[in-house]
Amino acid sequence: VLAGAYRRAESPLKTIARQRTATDFRPLSVLKLGEFSGLKKVSEHGEIKAMTTGEAKEGYALETFGGTFALSRKAIVNDDLSAFGRWSEMMGRAAAETEAAQLLGLLTQASGAGPVMGEDSKRLFHADHGNLAQTGAAPDESTLTAARKALRTMRGLDGKTPISATPRYILVGPELETDVEKLLASIYATSTDDVNPFGGKLSLLVEPRLTGNGWYVFADPAVMPVLEFAYL
């Protein structure tokens, strides 16, 4: 019962995050390797020149979460409505809510700017990273085009090499769910002007704990993860 309730209450944020396993509570490191510089022409004498790459490191550590509740024998005997039978379900939901709060808190930290990154001491969403819209606007064809372009033109740690980030998910709160559903709907177009360029291209994720009109576009976490979480 508890496991079923936990799965039903899981946050869609786990869909855009990479899962990892830890063997203890010591700090975990996430190493980000940059791209190698381009291949150099081999000289007539066979000289092969060394290549360079950059790297950056982020880190976090596991914490333990838990809780208890007590039932007396008398309370159990007098439970005509079987209310206590739902407590295991409620505990499953509480576990899922705790996980969701951790991931959401990371994503929305500092008024939505995200955590400070180890590579440059700037927030995750920052104008210098090219992943923050200069002006907030609701999702439509033009703003979604700008978000897709921002991902497509992302550069590696060297600031030059394209990393070819392909948009996969759009994450919104309940306020924008219907609007984005319409925006992503595939239609039978009778003219080129009616073609929906985003039909079937992005998967919609709705996080009920997100408030306001903020929205995010993510690549596949299996290829380019932004969030990571771990279990012991």
Side-chain angles (χ1 to χ4, degrees), residues 83-98:
F84 297 138
R86 293 189 57 247
W87 280 36
S88 58
E89 180 179 348
M90 293 161 60
M91 288 297 285
R93 288 192 62 88
E97 289 291 342
T98 302

Side-chain angles (χ1 to χ4, degrees), residues 64-94:
T64 301
F65 298 84
T68 65
F69 59 91
L71 294 175
S72 68
R73 175 176 177 273
K74 187 174 182 179
I76 295 174
V77 171
N78 290 340
D79 182 22
D80 294 337
L81 301 178
S82 300
F84 297 138
R86 293 189 57 247
W87 280 36
S88 58
E89 180 179 348
M90 293 161 60
M91 288 297 285
R93 288 192 62 88

Side-chain angles (χ1 to χ4, degrees), residues 24-44:
D24 52 40
F25 293 94
R26 287 178 291 184
L28 298 168
S29 294
V30 182
L31 184 63
K32 296 187 290 183
L33 293 175
E35 294 67 32
F36 278 110
S37 57
L39 301 179
K40 305 295 184 182
K41 184 177 180 179
V42 178
S43 70
E44 183 178 353

Side-chain angles (χ1 to χ4, degrees), residues 74 111 133 151:
K74 187 174 182 179
S111 300
L151 271 180

Side-chain angles (χ1 to χ4, degrees), residues 130 133 137-154 165-167 170 183-184 195-199 201-202 215-217:
D140 57 24
E141 185 173 327
S142 61
T143 56
L144 206 52
T145 296
R148 181 168 64 177
K149 180 181 177 182
L151 271 180
R152 291 287 194 190
T153 55
M154 282 285 169
T166 302
I170 178 170
L183 185 60
L184 300 183
V195 172
N196 180 6
F198 298 103
K201 299 290 182 62
L202 294 172
W215 53 282
Y216 307 80
V217 176

